[in-house]
Amino acid sequence: MEYNDKMKHRVKRIEGQVKAILRMMEEEKDCKDLIVQMSAARNAMDRTIGLVVSTNLEHCVREQIEKGEDTEEMIQEAVQLLVKSR
């Protein structure tokens, strides 16, 4: 799988969010503010997982169709990855 710049940028942004969370903890910031930031980082990670799985699925399905092969198993595997990520 080829991971494009958009995917890498998202992960770098999440990395920044996680570093900010750690800094907030070290500075003993308010619990509510910390939870808001943690939730934002988790949501960003969830969206990135969806992007990686959907991009990979699209690529693999196209290849299977070009080969004249069935795509059902591949689609089920992608669904399981999404379920597992939750």
Side-chain angles (χ1 to χ4, degrees), residues 4-36:
N4 62 36
D5 288 340
K6 183 178 181 180
M7 292 175 191
K8 292 174 191 175
H9 178 70
R10 283 178 178 237
V11 172
K12 287 177 184 177
R13 192 172 344 134
I14 294 165
E15 178 184 30
Q17 288 176 308
V18 172
K19 286 180 180 179
I21 290 166
L22 183 56
R23 188 170 46 253
M24 290 174 73
M25 291 174 143
E26 290 168 349
E27 294 172 359
E28 298 181 1
K29 296 290 184 181
D30 186 68
C31 173
K32 293 177 210 170
D33 296 333
L34 184 68
I35 297 303
V36 167

Side-chain angles (χ1 to χ4, degrees), residues 1 16 24 30 33 39 42-44 52-53 66 73-74 85:
M1 163 113 191
M24 290 174 73
D30 186 68
D33 296 333
S39 178
R42 180 179 57 202
N43 289 336
V52 169
V53 171
E66 287 173 6
E73 183 178 329
M74 189 174 302
S85 73

